[in-house]
Amino acid sequence: DTGVSQNPRHKITKRGQNVTFRCDPISEHNRLYWYRQTLGQGPEFLTYFQNEAQLEKSRLLSDRFSAERPKGSFSTLEIQRTEQGDSAMYLCASSFVLAGVTDTQYFGPGTRLTVL
Amino acid sequence: GDSVTQMEGPVTLSEEAFLTINCTYTATGYPSLFWYVQYPGEGLQLLLKATKADDKGSNKGFEATYRKETTSFHLEKGSVQVSDSAVYFCALTRGSNYKLTFGKGTLLTVNP
């Protein structure tokens, strides 16, 4: 299967702990996006990468959040000192952009985070 | 900022009924418009899209027309099936970052 994969699928942690999620995009895609979805809401944009460069961060991404995409391949999203309000589904999507024209964003299955 | 408003759910229909899910947007310029679907236990999938005014996106019997004059992109299907039961999200992108702005989603349940 060559779709977007995310690990882990579920994560339960205690408040104050650090967590890290991984996203493996479709291999030829140069754009990678992170979104957060809370219950009853649509996904909200967090950040995106063009290859290894992080080009935009939402104001939703506090300084406890950090994302990386080393070598322009997989990406990690780390949350430090988790809070109960961080409980959500974290979605990763990838796409291919060339000369300002983009292909469809393909989404992974998400990582559901529960902070106790 | 950009925003998308969808009709409140849930929507419950009988098989073969006609479906409309309303979607309106607020954005400057010329956004691209999308409908994504999330089946139970699965990730978001693109259902259809339209990139300019008066374009009609279609897929799997679903259709939506990009109406700039009413800033709308309503989703329609003439005859729904039980397998169409899912959450439907209207979304837009604008600008070179192509980040998606989503509505809150509409849960559709189709009964046999």
Side-chain angles (χ1 to χ4, degrees), chain A residues 5 12-14 24 26 28 30 32 39 46 51 61 66 71 75 80 94 97 104 107-108 111 113 115:
Chain A
S5 62
I12 299 174
T13 191
K14 294 182 179 180
D24 287 273
I26 294 172
E28 63 268 24
N30 54 8
L32 187 148
L39 198 61
L46 293 179
N51 299 312
L61 214 64
S66 62
K71 303 179 183 177
S75 177
Q80 297 182 327
S94 70
V97 175
T104 301
F107 281 80
T111 295
L113 173 66
V115 181

Side-chain angles (χ1 to χ4, degrees), chain A residues 31 33 100 102, chain B residues 2 28 30-32 93-99:
Chain A
R31 285 262 176 118
Y33 298 80
T102 185
Chain B
D2 298 344
T28 56
Y30 300 92
S32 295
T93 62
R94 187 180 60 83
S96 60
N97 57 25
Y98 299 112
K99 64 183 181 183

Side-chain angles (χ1 to χ4, degrees), chain B residues 3-108:
Chain B
S3 66
V4 174
T5 303
Q6 288 181 235
M7 65 184 286
E8 294 282 330
V11 174
T12 302
L13 296 173
S14 297
E15 207 164 21
E16 299 183 2
F18 184 84
L19 169 70
T20 299
I21 301 178
N22 290 337
C23 171
T24 57
Y25 68 89
T26 300
T28 56
Y30 300 92
S32 295
L33 302 175
F34 304 81
W35 278 99
Y36 276 81
V37 59
Q38 189 168 35
Y39 298 104
E42 298 185 17
L44 280 165
Q45 302 174 25
L46 178 67
L47 181 59
L48 53 84
K49 67 179 181 182
T51 57
K52 60 183 187 294
D54 300 324
D55 268 3
K56 178 184 283 189
S58 61
N59 186 26
K60 299 181 180 180
F62 291 90
E63 293 183 341
T65 301
Y66 187 163
R67 301 288 189 199
K68 189 159 179 64
E69 65 275 14
T70 54
T71 62
S72 65
F73 193 54
H74 305 321
L75 182 68
E76 296 183 336
K77 186 175 185 182
S79 176
V80 294
Q81 306 300 311
V82 172
S83 57
D84 294 327
S85 298
V87 181
Y88 292 81
F89 293 92
C90 186
L92 66 82
T93 62
R94 187 180 60 83
S96 60
N97 57 25
Y98 299 112
K99 64 183 181 183
L100 286 158
T101 299
F102 285 89
K104 291 186 177 183
T106 303
L107 173 63
L108 170 67

Side-chain angles (χ1 to χ4, degrees), chain A:
Chain A
D1 182 30
T2 57
V4 178
S5 62
Q6 293 186 245
N7 288 288
R9 293 291 304 276
H10 304 272
K11 179 70 177 178
I12 299 174
T13 191
K14 294 182 179 180
R15 187 178 55 183
Q17 297 296 304
N18 299 342
V19 294
T20 300
F21 311 141
R22 176 178 171 128
C23 171
D24 287 273
I26 294 172
S27 59
E28 63 268 24
H29 284 182
N30 54 8
R31 285 262 176 118
L32 187 148
Y33 298 80
W34 285 99
Y35 295 85
R36 182 173 69 186
Q37 185 177 15
T38 53
L39 198 61
Q41 302 295 317
E44 296 174 291
F45 169 78
L46 293 179
T47 188
Y48 87 97
F49 294 82
Q50 172 89 13
N51 299 312
E52 67 274 9
Q54 187 174 19
L55 297 187
E56 186 173 340
K57 295 191 290 186
S58 162
R59 68 182 188 283
L60 295 175
L61 214 64
S62 76
D63 57 6
R64 295 184 298 104
F65 289 72
S66 62
E68 295 182 342
R69 192 184 182 198
K71 303 179 183 177
S73 56
F74 70 93
S75 177
T76 58
L77 178 67
E78 181 183 16
I79 309 174
Q80 297 182 327
R81 306 181 303 282
T82 53
E83 302 173 356
Q84 288 183 327
D86 297 332
S87 295
M89 179 75 86
Y90 289 84
L91 299 171
C92 176
S94 70
S95 69
F96 182 73
V97 175
L98 178 64
V101 179
T102 185
D103 196 358
T104 301
Q105 285 187 37
Y106 293 87
F107 281 80
T111 295
R112 181 169 295 284
L113 173 66
T114 302
V115 181
L116 302 176

